[in-house]
Amino acid sequence: MRKGASTAAGADESNPASHLHGPVLAWFDRHGRTELPWRDPDCSAWGVFLSEVMSQQTPLHRVEPVWREWMRRWPTPADLAADSPGEAVRAWRRLGYPRRALRLHEAATAMVRDHGGEVPRGHDELLALPGVGEYTAAAVASFAFGERVTVIDTNIRRVEARTVTGVEFPRPNLSAAERRLAALLLPQDDHVLWNAASMEFGAVVCTAKAPACGTCPIIDACAWQLAGAPVYDGPARRGQAWAGTDRMVRGKLLAVLREAHGPVERARLDEAWDDDAQRERCLSSLIEDGLVDPLDDELFALPGHR
């Protein structure tokens, strides 16, 4: 994804957000995080693909060191596909949602099998890859290949809800109306930059908990501010608990297996969490998800390790 000054300085009367494009793109040109390695113009499509999968629901400062390690170890889809899925799970470290590591391995395998070892360019072909949803397919098509597609993530939804719709937060689930609005807001020119800039703007300025309205370059045009910044009154927004949850316990069990570099006896997993019922439930779910291989009743390993 190439970052640079906007060429869409003029207003487009057919686009309800054309007056937002110039200021947001100018802000991105000055303040966008150019140090992120997957924003380098020379970054491969595979590097962009990895970054998009890794950064879902994960802060970028945690993603970057893992991304760099993966790119050193597996610089192409073929390199990852040739290694075991267990090594992908091990190298995932603590990014969260480790099934993404397995899906990345499966996607790399599909790229080798069906696309000559390359990341496919078309949105539909991307969407057909294992573990790739609408957001990832659109983001890779836009940022890796410059295609004119609408990218919609949590940050973009919030920016558009506030600046255009006039509400503090969008509804919990993406609606058809939001899709239509996002497509309408996409400029004819600078569409790649707009996707990146509006996403970054939501992550840095128009944040969920403490928006920096005092330094916002579009505050005078923000529909939410013009309406008096009404408090969100829609359906309850779900929080993400962690302590004591099955997600946490699954992470502890996987940490034991990652650090062992080989099969692990049940007794070592027992030491990871003292609630027997929850530990067994989480171990069973890891096996069902393909993240753990039961070698026998008392011996377990990451997938592909014997």
Side-chain angles (χ1 to χ4, degrees):
M1 189 273 296
R2 296 179 184 273
K3 178 174 170 282
S6 167
T7 60
D12 177 359
E13 293 182 359
S14 67
N15 191 315
S18 61
H19 61 293
L20 305 176
H21 290 156
V24 172
L25 292 174
W27 172 88
F28 184 62
D29 191 49
R30 293 192 301 270
H31 303 293
R33 290 172 285 186
T34 56
E35 73 280 3
L36 296 174
W38 47 86
R39 288 186 177 167
D40 189 304
D42 294 326
C43 182
S44 67
W46 172 241
V48 174
F49 185 88
L50 285 182
S51 74
E52 290 300 336
V53 175
M54 288 180 171
S55 60
Q56 292 172 27
Q57 298 178 285
T58 307
L60 295 186
H61 71 272
R62 291 177 54 200
V63 170
E64 184 174 353
V66 179
W67 182 92
R68 290 186 182 276
E69 179 183 339
W70 277 56
M71 288 298 290
R72 283 193 298 268
R73 186 171 180 180
W74 302 304
T76 70
D79 293 313
L80 178 58
D83 212 333
S84 74
E87 283 304 299
V89 174
R90 189 189 311 281
W92 194 250
R93 300 189 182 278
R94 296 183 178 275
L95 286 185
Y97 303 98
R99 277 177 289 186
R100 289 182 291 169
L102 287 183
R103 300 294 88 81
L104 273 170
H105 190 276
E106 292 171 4
T109 301
M111 290 176 197
V112 171
R113 183 186 65 236
D114 302 328
H115 302 287
E118 302 291 339
V119 178
R121 187 184 189 96
H123 179 269
D124 290 344
E125 291 176 311
L126 285 163
L127 196 57
L129 292 172
V132 172
E134 182 63 36
Y135 165 77
T136 302
V140 174
S142 178
F143 302 142
F145 300 114
E147 299 294 321
R148 190 177 185 276
V149 294
T150 306
V151 178
I152 307 176
D153 79 334
T154 301
N155 290 316
I156 290 175
R157 292 182 66 207
R158 185 171 58 255
V159 169
E160 294 179 353
R162 289 176 180 168
T163 59
V164 180
T165 311
V167 295
E168 185 179 17
F169 297 110
R171 297 281 170 150
N173 297 315
L174 181 64
S175 67
E178 280 184 275
R179 292 181 186 275
R180 289 192 296 271
L181 175 61
L184 187 60
L185 300 184
L186 191 67
Q188 289 297 322
D189 298 317
D190 289 331
H191 43 84
V192 175
L193 282 175
W194 174 253
N195 283 332
S198 53
M199 187 184 304
E200 181 97 337
F201 191 76
V204 176
V205 176
C206 197
T207 59
K209 293 183 179 179
C213 297
T215 60
C216 175
I218 55 173
I219 189 168
D220 292 338
C222 175
W224 180 52
Q225 286 292 328
L226 292 173
V231 176
Y232 175 76
D233 63 355
R237 301 168 68 237
R238 293 171 294 179
Q240 293 196 349
W242 173 251
T245 62
D246 283 5
R247 276 189 61 210
M248 187 189 79
V249 177
R250 282 164 55 100
K252 286 181 173 292
L253 296 175
L254 278 179
V256 173
L257 289 159
R258 278 197 303 266
E259 293 162 7
H261 292 278
V264 169
E265 295 180 350
R266 181 183 291 274
R268 291 183 60 187
L269 295 176
D270 291 347
E271 295 173 359
W273 193 249
D274 58 8
D275 184 323
D276 294 344
Q278 186 178 23
R279 185 182 63 249
E280 288 304 309
R281 179 174 70 246
C282 291
L283 179 58
S284 295
S285 72
L286 288 169
I287 293 170
E288 183 177 348
D289 288 343
L291 290 163
V292 173
D293 279 350
L295 306 184
D296 57 37
D297 288 343
E298 298 297 325
L299 202 61
F300 303 88
L302 293 177
H305 288 265
R306 299 286 171 176

